[in-house]
Amino acid sequence: MIFDSLNHIEAYEGIHPGVYKGLKLLRDTDFSALEDKRYDVDGEDLFFFVQSYETNPSNETPEAHRKYIDIQCILKGSECMGVAPLEEMTEEVEARPDNDIWFYHGKTDTITLLPGRFAVLFPGDAHAPGVAAASPAPVRKIVVKVKV
């Protein structure tokens, strides 16, 4: 997992070409006029979702992916996200392989996403997004999907 500011993306240029391309997309794109939906950048290799929703008091089922790396970045508002190594999850509670998502139970540590910050979540990273920083509030978020 990487948790950083969009001001530092040059440090990640060599880790994975799709991740760096996704980070540049987040830094250089004005998302304000885009509606909530999926946008293809490079077919199934790189695409993103614009999402607007209200955060929840908790998220008890961290998720993980096997085919895609997530890059999550808040445009407006703030959100807490639980994160942990996948091997520390105690049990798998649901699998949706057609959607590349598996849900788990297990303890996580919390990070706070604010505008300008991002989290890169690799297949070995369990994450529980969408948690309210204080009380439930609206957020607008970009999730970039990068094929492994």
Side-chain angles (χ1 to χ4, degrees):
M1 185 193 98
I2 300 169
F3 178 53
D4 204 344
S5 160
L6 290 173
N7 294 327
H8 304 138
I9 69 167
E10 307 314 343
Y12 306 106
E13 185 172 3
I15 63 164
H16 184 287
V19 168
Y20 185 62
K21 189 173 182 179
L23 291 171
K24 287 194 308 184
L25 176 86
L26 288 171
R27 182 192 62 195
D28 299 340
T29 304
D30 178 3
F31 296 98
S32 62
L34 297 181
E35 62 184 80
D36 288 7
K37 66 176 192 173
R38 175 183 163 150
Y39 295 86
D40 289 334
V41 177
D42 192 11
E44 293 300 309
D45 291 336
L46 181 69
F47 56 93
F48 67 92
F49 294 96
V50 178
Q51 304 173 335
S52 298
Y53 56 88
E54 187 160 299
T55 56
N56 296 301
S58 66
N59 181 343
E60 302 302 324
T61 52
E63 64 189 59
H65 313 288
R66 296 181 184 172
K67 295 179 185 175
Y68 286 93
I69 298 163
D70 270 9
I71 308 173
Q72 299 197 17
C73 185
I74 297 291
L75 297 175
K76 290 183 182 176
S78 65
E79 146 177 329
C80 290
M81 178 186 300
V83 293
L86 183 57
E87 68 266 14
E88 293 181 8
M89 295 295 100
T90 57
E91 68 177 316
E92 182 182 297
V93 295
E94 185 180 352
R96 298 183 199 163
D98 290 345
N99 294 328
D100 189 42
I101 191 165
W102 284 258
F103 295 95
Y104 300 89
H105 284 150
K107 186 177 188 268
T108 60
D109 294 308
T110 302
I111 61 173
T112 302
L113 289 173
L114 300 166
R117 291 185 185 172
F118 66 89
V120 179
L121 303 146
F122 295 92
D125 298 322
H127 51 287
V131 179
S135 59
V139 297
R140 187 157 166 88
K141 178 173 161 179
I142 305 298
V143 177
V144 179
K145 304 293 274 185
V146 179
K147 194 164 194 176
V148 177

